Amino acid sequence: MPGLLRGVARTAVVAGTATAVSNRVSRRQAGRWAQQDPERQVAYQQDAAPTPAAPAPAGPPSAADEMTSKIDQLKQLGDLKAQGVLTDEEFAAQKRQVLG
């Protein structure tokens, strides 16, 4: 199972990096186009305005949130087992880990 989690984590990192790079390329292209076309410059300046920071999380998660998260994780594990990705032993070990 650690190999599966490592693969999922790697995929998340790659997807996040690709998104960041794509967004930066888009902003650079918009800046270049704005320099070429004064009408677009106003739109680019509005798009390039800094976005407000995300609000801070509101305290520790509630028991209901933790239970929902555990249920979601167990559903995902069940799906992986049904697809044949996890063996019965791997499923049982991950289930024990989720349930603590």
Side-chain angles (χ1 to χ4, degrees), residues 5-38:
L5 293 176
R6 187 178 303 122
V8 170
R10 183 180 299 143
T11 301
V13 169
V14 169
T17 303
T19 301
V21 170
S22 174
N23 289 341
R24 182 164 185 215
V25 168
S26 295
R27 285 192 305 270
R28 290 170 88 192
Q29 286 178 342
R32 288 180 184 159
W33 292 336
Q35 290 174 354
Q36 293 173 359
D37 187 1

Side-chain angles (χ1 to χ4, degrees), residues 54-74:
S62 69
D65 291 340
E66 289 181 24
M67 182 58 74
T68 302
S69 174
K70 287 181 180 182
I71 291 171
D72 290 340
Q73 289 176 347
L74 291 173

